Structures are given as C-alpha cells and as structure tokens.
Amino acid sequence: NLDDRDEVVKYIYEVNRLRPPVGHSHHVAVEDFTVKILGKDRTFPKGTVILIPISLTMLDKNKWGSDVHEFNLDRRNLVDESMI
C-alpha cells in the first residue's frame, strides 16, 4: 500500500536488510583499541584498517530471529536496529 508511509518505510528497510546496497564498510582506527575475540583480549594499533561486514550483521539470527532469510515487514525493531 503506497499510501501507508510506515508500510513503505518498513518495505524499504526489509529489502535493504536482505540485500544491503553496501556489503561492508572500512574504517581506520584513530587510536589503539582492544576487543575480546573468542574470549581473549586482542589489542590493535592506531592505523589498523577495520572491516565491518554489514551484510553479515543484517543476517544475524541472534538479532533478527530464526526467519532471518525470509521477507517480513513485521520484523521486530526493523527500522530502529537497521544499519542502512
């Protein structure tokens, strides 16, 4: 229903959740940073290139539910939690 703005917005977000226009994003660390990976703290120096896999985040079952690969306009927190 193109007259229902909320429905159109949810449609756009769900389409882009399943097929994001950008698959990943690059960032460069501006300072040293530490993250926990597989239970161990890992420290990376300033200047480290960080790749953020948007497409994997948008298909995370823990975040989006067991029907993550299905089109669902009524998905919980679709607009609030999207990365688009």
Side-chain angles (χ1 to χ4, degrees):
N1 179 2
L2 294 177
D3 294 325
D4 183 341
R5 183 184 185 285
D6 289 338
E7 188 171 326
V8 171
V9 168
K10 289 191 301 185
Y11 179 87
I12 291 168
Y13 274 80
E14 184 66 351
V15 165
N16 282 288
R17 185 190 66 77
L18 290 169
R19 298 284 186 253
V22 176
H24 56 275
S25 178
H26 293 93
H27 294 274
V28 177
V30 296
E31 59 186 36
D32 295 354
F33 67 99
T34 302
V35 294
K36 191 172 292 278
I37 300 174
L38 298 174
K40 294 184 178 182
D41 285 342
R42 307 283 186 194
T43 300
F44 297 89
K46 174 182 176 178
T48 298
V49 177
I50 304 162
L51 175 76
I52 300 171
I54 295 170
S55 55
L56 292 179
T57 302
M58 299 302 274
L59 295 174
D60 182 354
K61 286 183 181 179
N62 293 322
K63 182 174 187 168
W64 300 106
S66 60
D67 65 343
V68 70
H69 295 286
E70 297 173 23
F71 187 87
N72 178 1
L73 286 181
D74 297 320
R75 190 170 303 284
R76 185 176 55 85
N77 294 326
L78 178 61
V79 175
D80 296 335
E81 306 240 349
S82 178
M83 293 181 74
I84 67 163

